[in-house]
Amino acid sequence: MISFELSVEDLADTRFAISPLHETIFSLRVLRDPGLHALHLPWRRSALARLDPADAALLVSVVGEKLALPDFLTPRPAVFAPSFDEELAIVRRTAPHVVRHDLEAALVAGPLPEDDAAAGRLRDAVCDALARFWEPFVAPLWQRMRLLLEADMTYRARQLALGGARLLFADMHPNLRWHEGVLHIDKMIGRHHVVVSGRGLLLIPSVFAHKPAPPVSAGEPPSLVYPSRGVATLWEAAPSAGPSALTALLGAPRARLLRLLEEPLPTVELARRVRVTPSAVSQHLRVLYAAGLVTRARDGRQVLYRRSALGDELAAPRR
């Protein structure tokens, strides 16, 4: 078990970030273990069919025997949404002795670098392979992933507003447990207790993470990668509106939004589901709101939309 002891000040400084590098690194677990996440098997087959075998072998080799990942490959994001290149540049600057320590701590299989020179060469080779891997296999999907991750953060922020830390962590994952100011993370390869001491906790939702993943080493800044909600919808084909009176009346985009608004949803989640930009969704929502087909209510910093009674009647299936 790994645990984080959070003071009131730490909870006040808890924030979210999204990381294209973390997503790329966690996808390496899926490459190594096909049984890890069945939802990602089509992506895995496609990647392995096109990935250079030497790159595949090198990238999989840095995943630990129990699927732990070396901390130097997942630096804590300094801003809300860093670019992949910015994060990879940080990894390239990792001191060789840190590379050796983190590989050993993650129980990486195979021979470890014998000295700092070998560790530096391995670090550079892995970074080069990651850059080649990111471009064809993760970058084209990143915008879709980002919308999903931002929708998860919107949900989590609402949980925090409604029920504090207890509700925030309640449904993140069965391995997480909040009790008397301490966040317990079960089934980890390490066993240490971290007193956060004013550093705050960084929460990073992930498409490819199958369970919560704090840093392996106790000395790393406090952070937690956790599985995002809605991953099953990531690989679904975009919904297409069939011919209907509603579509003919409103047009396909607005009819699709009206059908989705059976439950309150923010703009970013609607944009993710229909795979358009939030600004495009906002334009359609303004029209639906002006027509009295949706209602809106502010929840903290976000606005939630839902079908009105008139919208419910209009969207109801006809027999």
Side-chain angles (χ1 to χ4, degrees), residues 241-259 288 293 307 310-318:
S244 67
L246 183 62
T247 301
L249 177 65
L250 299 177
R254 289 170 191 163
R256 188 178 304 143
L257 286 174
L258 197 62
R259 293 190 186 98
L288 293 173
L293 299 180
R307 284 200 307 252
L310 177 60
D312 285 339
E313 185 176 350
L314 192 62
R318 305 297 177 186

Side-chain angles (χ1 to χ4, degrees), residues 280-301:
V281 169
S282 294
Q283 293 176 16
H284 293 309
L285 289 173
R286 281 196 292 270
V287 174
L288 293 173
Y289 179 75
L293 299 180
V294 303
T295 62
R296 64 189 183 191
R298 181 164 292 280
D299 181 26
R301 295 185 178 181

Side-chain angles (χ1 to χ4, degrees), residues 156-176:
R156 298 294 168 197
R158 188 168 186 268
Q159 293 292 91
L160 181 62
L162 291 174
R166 190 179 305 280
L167 192 58
L168 170 65
F169 297 116
D171 64 346
M172 270 190 180
H173 194 274
N175 289 2
L176 287 179

Side-chain angles (χ1 to χ4, degrees), residues 14-20 22-23 75-82 87 142 146 149-150 152-153 201-206 223-226:
T14 294
R15 61 184 179 87
F16 291 87
I18 55 176
S19 167
H22 279 70
E23 211 59 77
R76 175 172 164 144
V79 296
F80 170 69
E87 293 191 287
W142 178 242
R146 175 166 179 165
L149 299 174
E150 289 185 353
D152 177 272
M153 287 186 287
L201 178 64
L202 184 65
L203 299 172
I204 307 170
S206 170
S223 65
L224 181 69
V225 177
Y226 67 90

Side-chain angles (χ1 to χ4, degrees), residues 7-16 76 198-202:
S7 66
V8 173
E9 190 67 25
D10 293 317
L11 287 174
D13 199 29
T14 294
R15 61 184 179 87
F16 291 87
R76 175 172 164 144
R199 292 174 291 173
L201 178 64
L202 184 65

Side-chain angles (χ1 to χ4, degrees), residues 74-203:
T74 53
R76 175 172 164 144
V79 296
F80 170 69
S83 72
F84 177 82
D85 290 338
E86 289 170 339
E87 293 191 287
L88 192 63
I90 294 173
V91 178
R92 289 187 185 277
R93 296 195 295 269
T94 306
H97 74 274
V98 174
V99 173
R100 296 175 66 192
H101 171 272
D102 289 356
L103 289 170
E104 184 175 359
L107 303 179
V108 169
L112 297 173
E114 295 181 356
D115 52 33
D116 283 357
R121 290 192 296 270
L122 176 61
R123 174 203 61 203
D124 294 343
V126 170
C127 286
D128 291 343
L130 284 171
R132 293 190 293 268
F133 180 72
W134 155 262
E135 199 60 42
F137 302 122
V138 184
L141 303 170
W142 178 242
Q143 185 58 33
R144 286 165 56 185
M145 291 181 179
R146 175 166 179 165
L147 288 173
L148 185 146
L149 299 174
E150 289 185 353
D152 177 272
M153 287 186 287
T154 298
Y155 170 81
R156 298 294 168 197
R158 188 168 186 268
Q159 293 292 91
L160 181 62
L162 291 174
R166 190 179 305 280
L167 192 58
L168 170 65
F169 297 116
D171 64 346
M172 270 190 180
H173 194 274
N175 289 2
L176 287 179
R177 179 170 53 90
W178 173 261
H179 181 65
E180 296 183 351
V182 178
L183 180 63
H184 302 271
I185 310 158
D186 294 329
K187 301 180 181 179
M188 304 301 302
I189 65 169
R191 292 184 61 87
H192 52 258
H193 179 79
V194 178
V195 180
V196 177
S197 299
R199 292 174 291 173
L201 178 64
L202 184 65
L203 299 172

